[in-house]
Amino acid sequence: MDTKRKILVTGGAGYIGSHTCIELLESGYDVVVVDNLINSHPESLKRVEKITGRSLNFLKIDIRDRDALKKAFSENNFQAVIHFAGLKAVGESCQQPLNYYDNNVNGTLVLTEVMADAGVRELVFSSSATVYGDPHTVPITEDFPLSATNPYGRSKLMIEEILRDISISDKLSANENPWRIALLRYFNPVGAHPSGLIGEDPNGIPNNLMPYISQVAVGKLQQLSVFGNDYPTPDGTGVRDYIHVVDLAKGHLKALQTLQGEKFSQGGCEAYNLGTGNGYSVLEMVDTFSKVTGKKVEYQIVSRRPGDIAQCFADPGKAQQELQWQTEKTLQDMVSDAWRWQENNPSGFQ
Ligand code: NAD
Ligand code: WQD
């Protein structure tokens, strides 16, 4: 194996990272995962190895630990970094803004400084549709105005700006090894690997819709609270662009390939929406879940959740064209895979 095909995956033990490790290993890349396990379990990586029949290298490191990170770079010849590591709970970020800025923004600063010192300037970053704030219209294209309504979202926005700045600085210094950066703006990742061996394993009561519905269906939670039915949407409930986590994971490989190609030969920093382009309401999700799994999902309508927006879905045209990527999984796939994971692992990785 050519060592230039070795990828550092920060946050690789987490939900999206572990699914991406599978795609990387199955495509012949070597993988080193760096994760402090603050929101994940090492069992996820054992299962990645089981699914792929390949091994990966796991380092329990906090990305803010500069010396540990430097050591990882000196011991490995990385082609690129896929950077998932970060905290992601919107409500928690409002209670602990400094923790979120330190973990997400400072963590990325340390990572990029260590990368630059090691001469590794190829980066795929986990951004989020949250950087569009409350979009004035849908579908959303990458050139929409950016804003944030909470510290989590602001941390993503700040990181995007930092990464754009370091890419611009290359042009001023005529850097021969310029930064090549893809900012992947995920919409609403859901579902699980079709093996049923890995999936989303939220701590405590889930904040997000799909894991909440799954836990109602499996009997762990009593009923879903639907946050508002008076939005200006077809049935009054919030509309989102749910994307299967395996499609999302594959987008990262397409981004890596694109960063190696002609478009980025002079360096650059580009944002890409990773969504399906379809919007589904909360009630449509509940209905699809019941139909696909045969489980009744009890729900009640309650008031809107502060900070929520009416609708959010992607125009994925730029990613389709430039990354040669498009989603393949249906909403039924998302639901049946999420359910297989939930049913087989009612307590997650514990
Ligand atoms: P996750 O919490 O399952 O995974 C993140 C991983 O990063 C975890 O394994 C955690 O232990 C690790 N981590 C956190 N801080 C770290 C640090 N300082 N050092 C080392 N490891 C650290 O979350 P996920 O859903 O897989 O999300 C991955 C990335 O995608 C995150 O950056 C998140 O903000 C972003 N994102 C997620 C969603 C979503 O809805 N899941 C949507 C848009 C963007
Ligand atoms: C989806 C819809 C809710 C739970 C969040 C983050 C975003 C991104 C993805 C990381 C909305 C409704 C939900 C429930 C409900 N994460 N809902 N009852 O809010 O679109 O996005 O996760 O970047 O930054 O904000 O996702 O799954 O929480 O909600 O009615 O118990 O389901 O109101 O309409 P959201 P979600």
Side-chain angles (χ1 to χ4, degrees):
M1 162 69 60
D2 176 0
T3 52
K4 288 308 276 180
R5 298 247 299 161
K6 189 181 275 190
I7 309 296
L8 174 67
V9 183
T10 75
Y15 173 45
I16 306 169
S18 56
H19 287 82
T20 303
C21 287
I22 291 181
E23 300 302 322
L24 288 168
L25 291 167
E26 287 184 342
S27 300
Y29 288 96
D30 285 340
V31 172
V32 176
V33 166
V34 159
D35 200 305
N36 64 359
L37 303 178
I38 188 86
N39 197 37
S40 52
H41 200 284
E43 176 63 20
S44 67
L45 295 175
K46 294 209 179 87
R47 301 215 183 157
V48 165
E49 292 182 327
K50 187 173 172 191
I51 291 166
T52 59
R54 291 196 57 202
S55 58
L56 54 72
N57 191 356
F58 169 56
L59 304 172
K60 186 167 183 283
I61 290 176
D62 189 302
I63 55 164
R64 292 164 295 180
D65 182 344
R66 187 182 301 268
D67 291 339
L69 212 49
K70 269 188 176 167
K71 187 160 177 283
F73 275 83
S74 70
E75 288 173 354
N76 294 280
N77 191 8
F78 294 122
Q79 172 197 312
V81 176
I82 306 183
H83 177 30
F84 295 102
L87 301 176
K88 64 165 181 177
V90 172
E92 190 183 62
S93 80
C94 298
Q95 292 158 352
Q96 308 171 10
L98 295 179
N99 190 22
Y100 270 67
Y101 291 126
D102 184 37
N103 208 328
N104 295 1
V105 181
N106 186 30
T108 304
L109 283 179
V110 173
L111 173 68
T112 47
E113 283 162 7
V114 173
M115 286 176 70
D117 286 348
V120 179
R121 293 194 176 82
E122 190 174 321
L123 177 64
V124 177
F125 172 62
S126 297
S127 189
S128 166
T130 192
V131 299
Y132 296 115
D134 191 352
H136 54 84
T137 174
V138 278
I140 300 168
T141 52
E142 287 80 355
D143 54 5
F144 268 35
L146 304 179
S147 67
T149 51
N150 56 70
Y152 166 71
R154 224 169 335 270
S155 75
K156 291 290 177 192
L157 210 46
M158 286 177 185
I159 296 167
E160 283 206 0
E161 283 171 358
I162 291 167
L163 296 178
R164 261 189 293 274
D165 281 344
I166 60 177
S167 175
I168 291 168
S169 74
D170 280 333
K171 304 221 162 44
L172 304 176
S173 60
N175 194 337
E176 280 181 12
N177 175 18
W179 283 92
R180 283 165 286 126
I181 302 172
L183 311 172
L184 302 185
R185 295 178 181 155
Y186 314 154
F187 280 65
N188 288 59
V190 295
H193 191 265
S195 62
L197 287 171
I198 64 166
E200 191 170 9
D201 183 17
N203 262 330
I205 297 178
N207 297 310
N208 296 115
L209 180 65
M210 194 65 153
Y212 204 107
I213 293 180
S214 303
Q215 293 197 12
V216 172
V218 85
K220 278 179 80 174
L221 295 170
Q222 243 180 350
Q223 66 175 358
L224 172 73
S225 294
V226 175
F227 299 140
N229 66 350
D230 56 352
Y231 284 106
T233 59
D235 66 16
T237 64
V239 166
R240 296 291 183 275
D241 186 337
Y242 298 94
I243 173 171
H244 196 296
V245 65
V246 172
D247 277 335
L248 185 62
K250 289 183 172 162
H252 294 73
L253 272 74
K254 292 292 192 181
L256 282 181
Q257 284 161 13
T258 306
L259 291 179
Q260 293 264 306
E262 179 56 30
K263 175 161 176 62
F264 285 86
S265 57
Q266 307 295 313
C269 177
E270 285 288 335
Y272 297 99
N273 285 344
L274 297 189
T276 64
N278 304 313
Y280 291 100
S281 74
V282 177
L283 293 181
E284 281 177 305
M285 294 302 285
V286 169
D287 189 48
T288 308
F289 201 95
S290 299
K291 284 196 176 116
V292 170
T293 65
K295 293 273 167 190
K296 186 158 168 43
V297 178
E298 299 289 346
Y299 70 87
Q300 60 168 348
I301 308 287
V302 301
S303 50
R304 293 180 179 192
R305 181 171 63 179
D308 271 359
I309 56 178
Q311 45 180 352
C312 174
F313 56 91
D315 177 340
K318 184 178 175 191
Q320 285 169 359
Q321 214 168 24
E322 293 187 12
L323 305 183
Q324 305 287 305
W325 167 87
Q326 65 184 33
T327 57
E328 289 166 0
K329 307 271 190 184
T330 63
L331 187 61
Q332 282 70 22
D333 296 328
M334 301 180 207
V335 168
S336 57
D337 291 337
W339 181 236
R340 188 177 305 107
W341 155 251
Q342 178 68 62
E343 235 189 343
N344 293 351
N345 307 270
S347 308
F349 289 114
Q350 295 300 326

